[in-house]
Amino acid sequence: MRPFIYTPTSTVSAATQKLKANPHAKYLAGGTNLLDLMKEDVEKPTELVDITRLVLTEVKAITTGVNKGGITIGALGKNTDTANHPLIRQNFPLLTQSILAGASAQIRNMASNGGNLNQRTRCPYFYETSMPCNKREPGSGCGALEGINRMHAIFGWSQACVAVHPSDMCVALAALDAVVKVQGADGKERSIPFTDYHRLPGDTPQKDNTLNPGELITSIEIPINNFANTSYYLKVRDRASYAFALISVAAGVELEGTRIKQAKIALGGVAHKPWRALEAEKFLIGKEATEANFKQAAELEMKSAKPLEHNEFKIELGKRAITRALMQAMTGGKA
């Protein structure tokens, strides 16, 4: 065990100041990912700043301004509480479905919303400290690039990293056009569109997101939408529970008569970040909500996929998953 300092805090300002003062410190909320990484000697913080006492757990409706009708989710709310909150179950069932598809009930009871966004990849080469990994040790190489890469990226990867983001919740948040609210050590707050929050690996795969040093997520805002009853989260995995996605799809379809006014589609298990299926979305605008159109949209989206040695199957799987998710969305998730 590596020794570390434990520092409890009671305000956002105090917490951010601690991380500003110590670049080797980490925030501690639910700890469901961080503690595992510390046990594996992947993360080696010299200080844990406990933020569990911060009052950032509320789920509330936005009643004024341009986002009226949307909701704000506290960063320290537990995944279980968030998934089962009446406002979310009624107005954003896509988010409920995605959260309940992830991890186990015990982990969801501990995991925080902000921590879900900031969890690290589950790439086995990242966890195995004897193997090269640019995310864990920049400049050491990517063991998965020419290794066993069945679970890895088919979009947006680079020679430096082919890992995927593991979250289910984040895939739904990407489709829902969520906004991440953060606060820095200088007290300034900023809003980050969800599609800009996570990064593609490029040459710096050790950077998972666009947070500045010391910044802390305080809440997540989700705007109102018109597809609560025509949305669905599909997760394809090797076993029925407690497994990460081979491919997942968050889909929401807003209709105008019999035609699609807009579609929101995000994919998980395919990239270093939740992947918005923009080509598929663009194609579906104005089209009839038919299986044939859904298949064509899926074909267009998967055209730009670049598989690795062991994951070419994800292209066909992705086409089928997008089509099925959209078909299920049209029935409100009913078979």
Side-chain angles (χ1 to χ4, degrees):
M1 177 178 171
R2 295 179 182 271
F4 59 84
I5 301 166
Y6 171 74
T7 306
T9 56
S10 57
T11 67
V12 173
S13 177
T16 55
Q17 288 293 336
K18 286 292 182 182
L19 255 74
K20 181 181 179 182
N22 181 2
H24 301 293
K26 294 285 184 181
Y27 291 126
L28 175 66
T32 56
N33 185 213
L34 176 60
L35 297 186
D36 282 347
L37 291 169
M38 291 173 66
K39 291 174 184 177
E40 297 291 341
D41 210 32
V42 175
E43 292 281 9
K44 305 169 187 177
T46 60
E47 181 178 7
L48 293 183
V49 179
D50 187 339
I51 57 174
T52 57
R53 294 171 175 82
L54 305 187
V55 186
L56 298 173
T57 60
E58 190 177 12
V59 176
K60 60 182 180 180
I62 301 172
T63 57
T64 60
V66 293
N67 288 328
K68 182 179 179 181
I71 56 168
T72 295
I73 301 170
L76 290 177
K78 301 301 185 186
N79 283 180
T80 296
D81 295 336
T82 301
N84 291 314
H85 194 282
L87 280 175
I88 294 190
R89 292 185 72 91
Q90 180 176 351
N91 300 312
F92 303 93
L94 185 62
L95 182 58
T96 293
Q97 293 170 22
S98 69
I99 294 173
L100 296 180
S104 65
Q106 294 87 347
I107 291 174
R108 294 193 297 268
N109 288 343
M110 286 296 296
S112 68
N113 296 326
N116 192 301
L117 271 61
N118 288 341
Q119 62 181 299
R120 309 299 307 275
T121 183
R122 297 315 196 279
C123 173
Y125 294 91
F126 174 66
Y127 271 78
E128 177 49 69
T129 56
S130 66
M131 298 298 292
C133 173
N134 288 317
K135 183 176 285 293
R136 174 174 28 84
E137 187 179 344
S140 63
C142 175
L145 186 61
E146 296 183 359
I148 299 172
N149 45 41
R150 175 175 177 269
M151 297 288 291
H152 290 72
I154 57 174
F155 291 112
W157 55 269
S158 70
Q159 293 294 311
C161 183
V162 296
V164 299
H165 196 271
S167 174
D168 291 289
M169 179 182 182
C170 287
V171 181
L173 289 173
L176 290 166
D177 289 323
V179 175
V180 184
K181 300 285 188 176
V182 305
Q183 182 174 322
D186 56 3
K188 292 182 179 178
E189 299 178 350
R190 66 186 182 110
S191 301
I192 308 172
F194 202 84
T195 50
D196 295 336
Y197 183 77
H198 296 100
R199 294 165 42 96
L200 291 176
D203 296 327
T204 54
Q206 69 273 20
K207 297 180 180 179
D208 292 340
N209 54 57
T210 54
L211 285 176
N212 294 320
E215 281 188 324
L216 176 68
I217 300 174
T218 55
S219 64
I220 304 157
E221 286 190 1
I222 305 177
I224 191 67
N225 65 66
N226 295 314
F227 52 76
N229 295 324
T230 47
S231 61
Y232 188 69
Y233 185 75
L234 174 68
K235 183 175 183 178
V236 183
R237 45 188 162 177
D238 286 325
R239 58 178 184 261
S241 66
Y242 201 48
F244 294 99
L246 289 167
I247 282 186
S248 63
V249 183
V253 181
E254 180 183 351
L255 295 173
E256 196 168 56
T258 61
R259 294 186 176 274
I260 298 170
K261 183 177 181 180
Q262 66 169 345
K264 301 288 185 179
I265 308 167
L267 308 180
V270 298
H272 197 259
K273 60 184 287 184
W275 188 263
R276 274 293 287 268
L278 298 177
E279 290 298 322
E281 291 180 5
K282 182 180 177 181
F283 170 80
L284 288 172
I285 295 173
K287 300 290 195 304
E288 295 280 345
T290 64
E291 184 174 5
N293 281 331
F294 294 157
K295 284 182 176 179
Q296 192 169 346
E299 288 278 351
L300 287 171
E301 187 59 44
M302 301 307 290
K303 264 187 175 181
S304 60
K306 296 181 179 179
L308 300 163
E309 183 178 359
H310 301 122
N311 68 2
E312 189 172 0
F313 71 94
K314 282 192 176 187
I315 296 177
E316 181 61 29
L317 184 61
K319 294 175 185 177
R320 298 186 183 198
I322 292 171
T323 303
R324 183 179 172 190
L326 288 165
M327 291 295 291
Q328 290 287 96
M330 296 308 301
T331 63
K334 298 175 183 177

